[in-house]
Amino acid sequence: MSTSTDDLDKYFSQTEKELEIERVMGCFKLDPFAILELPYTKPDPKSIKVAYRKKSLMIHPDKVKHEKAQDAFALLKKAESELTDENRLKFLLTVIEEARVEVLRDNGFKVKTEVIVNPPVMTEDGDGPRLKASLDSVTIVDEKEYPYLLTQKGQTEVKSKMKEILIEMELRRRRLLKKEMEAEGAEKRKAEEAVKDRKRKAEDAKQWEDSRDKRVSSWRDFQKKGGKKIKKIKKSGL
């Protein structure tokens, strides 16, 4: 017999729902693992679904009256979406691995580096098609080899280090976006100035053309009146 959503909703008190909303709002917004309270390992789809469903029953705006319920639920939905996105999950797992390595090195541990041989691929060059292989030097941390990572202190440090890395990446992204927008803005202003300049020249040309008949008429009137006579001064023979 399946349990309905309404039945599950009865298991959570109003206080529990409010506390969960505050917890979600207090999480680092770029860390979906923290929001869903999942371990910093590759999660299976079922664990993501279970965590999301349980928490959505607690903080969904339709389930609890709280001024931050809508914002908390949006963060929860975003976290679930990120962890079910293959590319985003791969990126986050890479950040976690980097955080682990930095924490271990900060604590004096030597971290092993593994060389991975990538499958050969067919490439084209001046000598024709050929197979090309490449090597990647990667660091893969096995928690069993580093019990420190399983301690409360180690896990806290990894979480903190991951936050530092994500913040730095986000700031870098924003700086790059700002430069791109500034460049686009400069190009846009330049284009707008060029349009204004062409418009001004077109208006000047139109005004000149519109006043042509007036100029011609004035010249004809001038000619009819004999023009302005220039008085010649007779030179003295002295």
Side-chain angles (χ1 to χ4, degrees), residues 116-194:
I116 297 179
V117 180
N118 296 316
V121 294
M122 188 67 70
T123 61
E124 291 281 347
D125 54 27
D127 298 326
R130 63 172 58 187
L131 286 174
K132 183 177 180 181
S134 61
L135 302 177
D136 283 336
S137 178
V138 298
T139 304
I140 300 177
V141 177
D142 186 352
E143 290 184 338
K144 294 179 181 179
E145 295 184 20
Y146 304 97
Y148 180 75
L149 294 176
L150 299 176
T151 65
Q152 184 63 41
K153 182 179 179 182
Q155 292 176 2
T156 300
E157 289 182 1
V158 168
K159 182 177 180 179
S160 177
K161 183 65 66 174
M162 180 183 176
K163 181 177 180 179
E164 290 179 15
I165 295 171
L166 287 173
I167 288 176
E168 177 57 33
M169 287 183 169
E170 178 64 16
L171 290 176
R172 195 181 309 160
R173 184 189 70 81
R174 292 185 183 185
R175 286 194 294 267
L176 181 60
L177 181 60
K178 182 179 179 181
K179 287 183 179 180
E180 291 177 350
M181 291 179 67
E182 288 175 348
E184 289 178 0
E187 288 297 322
K188 184 178 180 180
R189 288 193 296 272
K190 185 177 179 181
E192 290 175 347
E193 287 298 325

